[in-house]
Amino acid sequence: MLAMAAPLTPLGTWLPGPVGPVEETVPLRPVGAASAALPTAGPAPADPAPPPALDAARAARDAFATAPADPGAPARAAAAAAVARTTADAAAAAAAASAGNTAAARPGADAGRAAAGDAGRPVPAAAGLTGQLALVVELTNVERAAAGCSALRVDPRINAAAQGHSEDMAANGYFSHDSRDGRDFADRMTAAGYPSPGAENIAAGQPDAATVVADWMASPGHRKNILDCSLSTIGVGLAGGYWTQNFGR
């Protein structure tokens, strides 16, 4: 069992195993602390007091007090760089528009992309994705580039499967790789028309792309999926705070 440092946000990952799928899902709260506080011997009092309330935040901090340096730092740094690039591109476009020459906006955007390439940060072809979902792809590819893996390509079919699962979890109030109708991520991806499912990461409660990628990178199972160089495609979904990241081969 794992418990993540505050904010406590559940994660789930699917990993291929030697005899079939192996699922690792991180609970919202650490377990066992409350029951450990109960007496183990002696007669029960006539009116036993209830066990103390579980301080989940403190338990999580204690569990991770000796954790290594945050492996999600590159993702957050890349997020800041992406915001800076967007601001610079917007300023260049505004300057070009005020001068009555819209063609001048393109060199500024190209310069921003060139600078991103010089910094080793890939610019993804996030087909069908915008905003935070496109940034999840970009930050995922940042981590892969640092590990020597090729960038993932966005596939609209995988996007559809991922978005559908996020919407289903949000609408029905559950958190699992398996849908309420019994389908797993591979079933959902093939139903969406993608023939070679690879892996899935899910999460809930993270406020933005930088946080969810950092949390996935801080969890060994999710990190393994992100840094699996045999994977080649990606799709991302988000609904009601539920994130789904699907990978294909």
Side-chain angles (χ1 to χ4, degrees), residues 4 7-12 25-28 175 202-206 216 222 242:
M4 189 165 295
L8 300 179
T9 51
L11 300 171
T25 300
V26 182
L28 179 63
F175 180 74
I202 57 175
Q206 290 80 0
W216 279 330
H222 306 86
Y242 289 86

Side-chain angles (χ1 to χ4, degrees), residues 78-79 82-83 121 124 126 130-140 209-210 213:
V83 171
R121 183 167 57 84
T130 59
Q132 293 298 308
L133 295 183
L135 191 54
V136 166
V137 176
E138 185 167 2
L139 298 180
T140 296
V213 173

Side-chain angles (χ1 to χ4, degrees), residues 33-174:
S35 60
L38 296 176
T40 58
D47 185 18
L54 175 63
D55 186 343
R58 180 176 180 180
R61 287 195 299 271
D62 291 346
F64 282 85
T66 58
D70 181 7
R76 280 190 290 273
V83 171
R85 186 191 70 190
T86 301
T87 302
D89 288 353
S98 64
N101 180 10
T102 56
R106 183 173 297 278
D110 291 342
R113 292 184 178 88
D118 291 343
R121 183 167 57 84
V123 178
L129 296 178
T130 59
Q132 293 298 308
L133 295 183
L135 191 54
V136 166
V137 176
E138 185 167 2
L139 298 180
T140 296
N141 280 333
V142 167
E143 301 291 356
R144 286 174 63 86
C149 297
S150 60
L152 297 167
R153 294 176 290 100
V154 175
D155 188 287
R157 297 167 295 181
I158 306 180
N159 286 342
Q163 183 63 30
H165 188 48
S166 287
E167 291 176 359
D168 190 46
M169 288 191 291
N172 293 288
Y174 72 97

Side-chain angles (χ1 to χ4, degrees), residues 152-249:
L152 297 167
R153 294 176 290 100
V154 175
D155 188 287
R157 297 167 295 181
I158 306 180
N159 286 342
Q163 183 63 30
H165 188 48
S166 287
E167 291 176 359
D168 190 46
M169 288 191 291
N172 293 288
Y174 72 97
F175 180 74
S176 174
H177 294 285
D178 293 333
S179 304
R180 289 300 175 91
D181 59 10
R183 296 184 302 162
D184 62 15
F185 83 93
D187 295 326
R188 293 187 294 269
M189 288 176 67
T190 54
Y194 191 84
S196 303
E200 176 177 85
N201 287 341
I202 57 175
Q206 290 80 0
D208 52 40
T211 303
V212 75
V213 173
D215 283 355
W216 279 330
M217 287 298 294
S219 173
H222 306 86
R223 180 186 178 95
K224 183 176 181 181
N225 279 348
I226 289 174
L227 302 184
D228 184 343
C229 292
S230 72
L231 300 173
S232 62
T233 50
I234 188 173
V236 189
L238 172 62
Y242 289 86
W243 302 80
T244 301
Q245 185 183 48
N246 285 148
F247 304 91
R249 300 187 184 281

